[in-house]
Amino acid sequence: MSGGDGAFVVLVTGCSDGGIGCEVARAFALRAPPLASGRDTVLVFAAARRGPDAMKSLAGIPNIVRVPLDVTDPASIARAMAEIDRVGGGGLDVLVNNAGVGCFGPVVEAPIATVRHVLDTNAVAPLALTQALLPLMLHPRGTRSPPAASEPVARVLNVGSLAGALCGPFGGVYSASKAALHMLSSALRMELRPLRVSVCTVLPGGVVSNIARGSAVAFDPARSLYAGLARFIYARANASQSARSTPTADMARRIVDTALRPGYMPASMTYGHLSTFLTFLSRLPYWLSDWLLMRNYGLWPPSSFMIAPGAK
């Protein structure tokens, strides 16, 4: 399908089967473009690092184009941008920065190469992609009248996490990467507003996704000082994936509803299992939230499984 001037063009990253991005792409494809956009159809570019083979569930949907995209690779970004420019008619209306990777384990034992990879994927890459695609977002297409001043010319949604607002034990690297994304997203929201680009930070709670399966577990029980807490560390890696986690499709619909609402998007959008409780917990004084989280993950009171400094 070619977008031309009549398509409302969307790019969603991190669209591997079973994840949030996959369902966001599907939800966009089923929707009509905003009336104020003047577009006739929606054209969705669904992107994943491993390409179409990772997005088999999206095959056959006529208004979805599956593209390979490694968000940490400038050459891959350039190729995806060229494809969007060619097929999408020279513009981009919505960018959903969803691609990301998890990392769980004690921060003090995390390999620095892993830390850099997580920060690069979760924080630097969304900024790099936004920078690269901004010309397409600002480029007028066709002869249609521009949107009214109350409407943005493009929208960027950065999928962060409530873990970026509340850092617990054994998730510090992931939380740091999402906190960095939140701050970059806030700066983009203010700096792009005069250019009529609306930016929203999405803060999922517990939502069914691939985050646990795709996580780097920076923990070796055979060598770790925290070997006695192995069950807590593995529980932290899967904390957002429980029987009560919000279905992926529900989260996707909320994201699409936010992106297609009239006018500028809110600064942030929070949704998902335990999101209200986690937001409340993030606003407690540190002494209280630290105590609650340390108790929950076996760090309080200090126990005999901890190796004292200098012990052999």
Side-chain angles (χ1 to χ4, degrees), residues 230-240 297:
R231 68 184 181 93
F232 292 100
I233 293 170
Y234 291 124
R236 174 63 190 90
N238 292 280
S240 64
Y297 287 102

Side-chain angles (χ1 to χ4, degrees), residues 103-107 118-119 163 167-178 236:
C103 179
F104 301 99
V107 169
V118 173
L119 289 168
C167 182
F170 311 130
V173 174
Y174 179 70
S175 289
S177 70
K178 289 300 185 178
R236 174 63 190 90

Side-chain angles (χ1 to χ4, degrees), residues 229-267:
L229 294 178
R231 68 184 181 93
F232 292 100
I233 293 170
Y234 291 124
R236 174 63 190 90
N238 292 280
S240 64
Q241 307 300 297
S242 72
R244 295 185 177 182
S245 295
T246 297
T248 317
D250 289 355
M251 184 72 212
R253 282 192 292 270
R254 287 295 184 109
I255 291 173
V256 174
D257 286 345
T258 299
L260 298 182
R261 58 177 284 170
Y264 284 78
M265 298 182 294

Side-chain angles (χ1 to χ4, degrees), residues 148-165:
S150 60
E151 291 288 330
V153 297
R155 298 163 173 85
V156 177
L157 295 96
N158 294 312
V159 181
S161 171
L162 280 170

Side-chain angles (χ1 to χ4, degrees), residues 67-217:
V67 295
L69 174 59
D70 180 348
V71 295
T72 65
D73 179 5
S76 182
I77 291 174
R79 288 191 294 269
M81 181 178 174
E83 181 74 357
I84 295 167
D85 190 14
R86 182 181 66 83
V87 180
L92 180 66
D93 296 286
V94 177
L95 168 61
V96 182
N97 281 310
N98 170 73
V101 62
C103 179
F104 301 99
V107 169
V108 75
E109 296 177 350
I112 295 303
T114 299
V115 175
R116 289 195 174 106
H117 172 67
V118 173
L119 289 168
D120 191 22
T121 304
N122 293 357
V124 178
L127 176 59
L129 195 58
T130 302
Q131 289 178 348
L133 295 173
L134 185 61
L136 293 184
M137 291 187 251
L138 299 178
H139 178 64
R141 284 172 289 160
T143 57
R144 72 180 178 95
S145 300
S150 60
E151 291 288 330
V153 297
R155 298 163 173 85
V156 177
L157 295 96
N158 294 312
V159 181
S161 171
L162 280 170
L166 176 69
C167 182
F170 311 130
V173 174
Y174 179 70
S175 289
S177 70
K178 289 300 185 178
L181 176 61
H182 297 175
M183 295 300 102
L184 291 169
S185 190
S186 291
L188 286 169
R189 184 181 67 250
M190 294 181 282
E191 294 171 4
L192 293 181
R193 180 62 184 260
L195 301 178
R196 297 180 61 189
V197 176
S198 179
V199 179
C200 175
T201 307
V202 179
L203 303 171
V207 177
V208 177
S209 71
N210 293 328
I211 190 65
R213 276 182 292 170
S215 293
V217 179

Side-chain angles (χ1 to χ4, degrees), residues 10-31 42 44-48 54-59 61 64 66 96 98-99 159 207-210 213 246-257 260 271:
V10 178
L11 170 63
V12 184
T13 68
C15 290
S16 296
D17 291 331
I20 292 174
C22 178
E23 291 305 318
V24 169
R26 193 191 315 275
F28 266 118
L30 294 173
R31 297 288 288 272
V42 173
V44 181
F45 290 89
M55 302 176 280
K56 292 179 180 178
S57 67
L58 299 177
I61 302 176
I64 291 183
R66 297 173 297 160
V96 182
N98 170 73
V159 181
V207 177
V208 177
S209 71
N210 293 328
R213 276 182 292 170
T246 297
T248 317
D250 289 355
M251 184 72 212
R253 282 192 292 270
R254 287 295 184 109
I255 291 173
V256 174
D257 286 345
L260 298 182
Y271 184 68

